[in-house]
Amino acid sequence: MGTFSRQEFFQELAHGCLLPTAQQGLEQVWQLLVICLLCRLLWMLGLPSSVKHVCTVAGGFYTLYLFFELHMIWVVLLSLLCYLILFLCRHSSIRGTFLSITVLIYLLLGELHMMDTTTWHKMRGSQMVVAMKAISLAFDLDRGVVTSVPSPIEFMGYIYFVGTVIFGPWISFSSYKEALEGRKLSFSWFLKVSVSWVKSQICLVISNCVAPYLFPYFIPVYGEKLLRSKKRRKIRGSVARWLLAYENAVSFHFSNYFVGYLSETTTTLAGAGFTEEKENLKWDMTVTKPLNVEFPRSMVEVVTSWNLPMSRFLHTYVFKSALKFGTFSAILVTYTASALLHGLSFHLGAVLLSLGFITYIEHVLRKRLASMFNACILSKKCQPNCTHQNKKALWVYMINVAFSSLAVLHLTYLGSVFNSSVDYMDEDEDDVTHHTIQKWSELSWTSHWVTFGCWVLYRLILK
C-alpha cells in the first residue's frame, strides 16, 4: 500500500485493501459454496446411497476443475492408485503402512519429475487431503474399524467429498457416511456455517491488511519518522528484526486460520462436521483454535490447535503406529510424515522438524519440573482433580507465563520464514533454502539455541 503517514494509511485502508480482499475471497469460492449447498440438499432427498456417491464424485470433480483445471488429473491418479493398492492388498494386515509408503513415493515423484514445482504446490492441499483419507481408511481396515474395503464408487465419494476436497479438513470414512444420511436443515447448522464464514473473512483481512502493517501503523512502535522512511525494511536493529518477524508470523498464522474456518464452512455446508448424542445433534466442527496459538500455554498446545483434524490424523495413524519404537522416535516419525505430506519444501520441512525437537524437549522438561515442584506446570493444562499440591501459587503462574512467552518467541522465529516472497521461490529450492537460513541467521538462531539450552537443563535435573 505504499508509504503513507498513519492518517493517510487508514484513509486508504478500506478501499485499498479491506474491500478488495473480501471481494476477491468471495469471488474465488462462491461456486464451491453453492455446490456444497446443493449436495447438502441432495442428501435429504432419500436417494439410493450409490446415487449420492456418484453425485458427490461429480461435485468433487467439478470443483477440482474449477480450481486446478486439467491439472486435477494428478489428484485423480493419486486416488486411483490408492484404491488399487487397497484392492490388491485386501487380504493383508499391513495395508496402512504399505499404502502410506506408496502415497509418499507418489507425492515425491510427482513433485520431482511429473510436473513443475509451482503447479504441483498449488494442488498440495488437495493432494494431502486425498492422501490422509486413503491412509486413514487403510489403517481403519487393518484395525477392524471399517469391516471391508468400500466399493469403488463409495471410496471415490469419500475421497472427493465436495466439502473437503479443496480446503480440507480430513474427515473419517464414518463421518462421510453419516453426512450422506442427510440430516434436516436447522438454525444451528445455518448459524455454524455463517459464523465460520465470517471468521474466515476476518482472518483473511487481518492476514492481508493488518498483520503486514502491524507495527508501523496499528502499533507505531517507532513513531511517525520511521513510517515515512522508505528504508524501513532494511533496519538492522535487533528489536526491529524481531518485530518484522512477528509481522510475518502473524500474517502466516491468520492465513492458516482463514483456510481453517473456510474448511469449517464448506464441510458444514455440505452436511458433515457434527456430533450426535442420543437425539441431540451438534454442528460443532472445529478446525483451528487461534487463541491457543496466539496466546499459547505451550508449543504442544500450538501444534494441536493449529489444525485439529490433521493433529488427530497424525496422532491416530502415525504417532500411535510408531510408538513401539519409543516416544522420541514416534515424534520424529510423526513430524517427518507431516513434512513429507506438505511436500519437498525446505522451509516447511525445517520448521516442522524443528517443531518436533522443540515440542519434545518442552514436554519432557516441564514434566520433570512439574514432578520436582509438585506443581501444575505441564505442557497441557492439568485437570481440576490432578494430584499436584501447587496449583494457583504466584510462582506457578509465573513459570507458566515464562513458558508461554517462550512459545511466542518460538512462533515468531519459526514463522519469520513465511512471507509472500517465498511463494514465488518454489521453482528454485535453493532460493527458499537461502531465504530460510538468512531469516534465522538474522534472528541469531535464537529458537534453536534456546531449545538446546532447555535440553541441557533437562539433562542436568534428570535423575
Side-chain angles (χ1 to χ4, degrees):
M1 292 180 62
T3 303
F4 302 108
S5 67
R6 290 189 69 205
Q7 183 178 358
E8 292 170 338
F9 172 80
F10 287 113
Q11 289 174 349
E12 291 286 333
L13 184 62
H15 67 268
C17 187
L18 296 180
L19 294 178
T21 296
Q23 182 179 356
Q24 290 173 13
L26 180 60
E27 288 175 352
Q28 290 178 3
V29 301
W30 73 267
Q31 292 184 74
L32 172 61
L33 298 177
V34 171
I35 296 171
C36 288
L37 179 59
L38 290 176
C39 287
R40 172 80 169 92
L41 298 175
L42 189 65
W43 308 155
M44 300 171 57
L45 297 181
L47 298 172
S49 59
S50 58
V51 176
K52 293 182 179 180
H53 294 312
V54 171
C55 290
T56 194
V57 171
F61 271 32
Y62 180 70
T63 303
L64 283 171
Y65 182 78
L66 284 177
F67 281 83
F68 309 127
E69 297 182 340
L70 293 180
H71 294 303
M72 64 173 280
I73 189 64
W74 299 107
V75 182
V76 176
L77 286 176
L78 175 59
S79 65
L80 293 174
L81 176 64
C82 288
Y83 190 77
L84 177 64
I85 296 299
L86 284 179
F87 180 77
L88 295 177
C89 300
R90 60 190 179 279
H91 301 302
S92 172
S93 60
I94 55 170
R95 284 167 287 198
T97 303
F98 188 69
L99 183 61
S100 300
I101 295 172
T102 304
V103 166
L104 290 178
I105 291 174
Y106 176 88
L107 294 177
L108 294 178
L109 288 176
E111 188 163 352
L112 292 173
H113 300 294
M114 293 180 186
M115 63 191 308
D116 65 277
T117 305
T118 302
T119 304
W120 186 265
H121 282 186
K122 289 178 181 178
M123 299 185 293
R124 182 162 51 196
S126 291
Q127 299 273 29
M128 284 177 59
V129 173
V130 170
M132 290 191 294
K133 284 182 176 181
I135 290 170
S136 65
L137 178 58
F139 276 107
D140 285 343
L141 286 165
D142 290 340
R143 297 169 183 177
V145 178
V146 178
T147 56
S148 61
V149 178
S151 66
I153 193 63
E154 193 176 15
F155 174 81
M156 292 302 172
Y158 170 50
I159 294 296
Y160 296 111
F161 179 61
V162 68
T164 62
V165 71
I166 300 297
F167 298 104
W170 166 80
I171 60 172
S172 66
F173 184 65
S174 59
S175 297
Y176 164 70
K177 294 183 71 174
E178 289 174 353
L180 260 62
E181 294 176 8
R183 299 301 196 277
K184 294 181 179 179
L185 299 179
S186 64
F187 177 76
S188 60
W189 168 79
F190 177 76
L191 182 63
K192 173 64 178 177
V193 171
S194 302
V195 170
S196 295
W197 169 254
V198 171
K199 287 181 178 179
S200 73
Q201 296 309 294
I202 291 174
C203 291
L204 179 62
V205 166
I206 292 176
S207 177
N208 288 346
C209 305
V210 177
Y213 313 101
L214 188 60
F215 291 110
Y217 295 107
F218 291 91
I219 308 175
V221 176
Y222 290 99
E224 189 76 12
K225 183 177 180 181
L226 180 61
L227 293 179
R228 296 183 181 277
S229 172
K230 295 183 179 180
K231 297 181 180 180
R232 169 181 169 266
R233 295 193 179 276
K234 296 184 180 180
I235 297 171
R236 292 294 180 263
S238 177
V239 174
R241 285 197 294 270
W242 278 98
L243 292 179
L244 292 176
Y246 186 77
E247 284 181 349
N248 284 338
V250 171
S251 181
F252 173 65
H253 293 175
F254 277 87
S255 67
N256 174 73
Y257 307 149
F258 159 67
V259 174
Y261 283 124
L262 182 57
S263 66
E264 280 185 17
T265 304
T266 56
T267 305
T268 306
L269 190 60
F274 60 86
T275 56
E276 192 172 15
E277 296 180 4
K278 297 181 179 179
E279 296 183 357
N280 186 23
L281 192 69
K282 293 182 179 179
W283 297 92
D284 55 0
M285 167 169 274
T286 302
V287 174
T288 186
K289 294 182 176 180
L291 291 179
N292 288 358
V293 178
E294 300 306 319
F295 306 99
R297 175 184 176 87
S298 65
M299 288 301 291
V300 173
E301 185 178 62
V302 168
V303 296
T304 55
S305 300
W306 184 258
N307 187 317
L308 274 74
M310 186 167 191
S311 178
R312 284 194 294 270
F313 166 84
L314 291 171
H315 180 78
T316 304
Y317 301 106
V318 182
F319 180 77
K320 286 185 176 180
S321 299
L323 199 55
K324 57 188 175 184
F325 302 112
T327 304
F328 180 65
S329 298
I331 290 174
L332 283 185
V333 169
T334 302
Y335 280 97
T336 301
S338 179
L340 292 174
L341 284 171
H342 280 86
L344 288 179
S345 181
F346 178 82
H347 66 301
L348 277 171
V351 167
L352 288 169
L353 291 177
S354 297
L355 273 173
F357 286 98
I358 291 170
T359 52
Y360 175 76
I361 292 171
E362 179 195 47
H363 169 70
V364 294
L365 174 60
R366 295 183 72 165
K367 184 177 179 180
R368 179 62 190 143
L369 291 174
S371 176
M372 286 177 58
F373 298 120
N374 199 9
C376 294
I377 52 177
L378 293 168
S379 296
K380 293 184 178 180
K381 190 175 182 179
C382 292
Q383 297 296 323
N385 59 348
C386 73
T387 58
H388 293 130
Q389 292 183 356
N390 299 298
K391 298 182 179 182
K392 297 184 178 180
L394 179 60
W395 60 271
V396 172
Y397 285 114
M398 291 179 65
I399 291 176
N400 284 323
V401 168
F403 276 107
S404 295
S405 302
L406 198 59
V408 173
L409 180 141
H410 287 311
L411 284 169
T412 302
Y413 175 85
L414 296 174
S416 65
V417 303
F418 297 99
N419 57 41
S420 57
S421 63
V422 178
D423 297 334
Y424 301 100
M425 298 179 187
D426 287 340
E427 290 278 1
D428 192 345
E429 190 62 29
D430 289 339
D431 288 343
V432 178
T433 303
H434 175 73
H435 170 81
T436 303
I437 294 174
Q438 180 185 21
K439 285 294 183 179
W440 285 350
S441 297
E442 289 176 357
L443 300 178
S444 305
W445 301 91
T446 302
S447 188
H448 288 95
W449 281 115
V450 168
T451 302
F452 177 72
C454 289
W455 177 78
V456 171
L457 176 61
Y458 166 69
R459 299 301 300 180
L460 288 174
I461 63 177
L462 183 64
K463 286 186 177 180

